[in-house]
Amino acid sequence: MKKTMLVTAVTGIFAAAVSFASDHSHMHETMMKEGGHKSDTRIELKMAESMKAMHKSIMRGHLDALGKITAALAANELEKAAKIAKGNLGWNESEEKMCSIFGESAGEAGKDFLTVGKAMHTKADELSADAMAGNRDKALADLSPLIESCNICHEKFRH
């Protein structure tokens, strides 16, 4: 019995190693076909470590809100989705101030950071308005450009 378990364990480890090697080889081959390692050309938001930690926490909060909005829309809880979108992601004076502070750390690109950030927050406001109006299909359709606006920011800026 012990011998069978040992053989099974060793076989499993060997299979996992072979699988990893194969996957790694494929990833390396694909990367080389695309021209090798690319440098990160995103604009760096130069800020203190404490500000980076806070900013990343805010971004995780945004992602959590997107998950909750999606769940509420899936459950046809439109008022709940609207409140989460408006309360957690909507554009307001506080968000403008926060985006401006982070944008200042981008130097000349700070104005662009504020524009991109505002676009995401106003998309959330559109989703909120559509959900509050009882238009579930439109609110669901609003999710895609909302998420795309998040991606635009993350493609353009980094810490």
Side-chain angles (χ1 to χ4, degrees), residues 66-83:
L66 283 171
K68 290 177 180 176
I69 292 165
T70 303
L73 290 173
N76 205 29
E77 297 173 335
L78 300 181
E79 188 174 328
K80 181 178 180 180
K83 286 180 181 179

Side-chain angles (χ1 to χ4, degrees), residues 31-159:
M31 190 171 94
M32 293 288 89
K33 283 180 183 174
E34 293 180 8
H37 175 74
K38 304 273 191 241
S39 61
D40 190 345
T41 59
R42 295 175 295 164
I43 298 165
E44 182 178 2
L45 299 174
K46 297 179 182 186
M47 57 182 79
E49 288 301 316
S50 59
M51 288 282 283
K52 286 180 185 181
M54 180 175 66
H55 192 236
K56 288 177 182 179
S57 176
I58 291 168
M59 296 301 103
R60 286 189 297 274
H62 290 350
L63 190 55
D64 184 53
L66 283 171
K68 290 177 180 176
I69 292 165
T70 303
L73 290 173
N76 205 29
E77 297 173 335
L78 300 181
E79 188 174 328
K80 181 178 180 180
K83 286 180 181 179
I84 295 167
K86 187 72 172 171
N88 294 57
L89 299 177
W91 187 247
N92 56 49
E93 190 176 314
S94 175
E95 288 297 336
E96 183 172 10
K97 185 181 277 186
M98 190 68 71
C99 286
S100 294
I101 290 169
F102 291 127
E104 288 171 8
S105 68
E108 290 183 32
K111 185 175 180 182
D112 196 26
F113 180 85
L114 182 62
T115 299
V116 171
K118 184 175 182 178
M120 185 279 291
H121 292 292
T122 56
K123 289 289 181 191
D125 286 336
E126 290 173 25
L127 187 151
S128 177
D130 289 333
M132 194 56 83
N135 192 338
R136 182 174 181 240
D137 289 344
K138 181 72 172 107
L140 282 167
D142 291 337
L143 273 174
S144 181
L146 174 57
I147 294 168
E148 286 174 18
S149 66
C150 295
N151 287 334
I152 288 168
C153 190
H154 286 271
E155 287 172 0
K156 191 167 190 109
F157 299 100
R158 69 180 174 91
H159 285 142

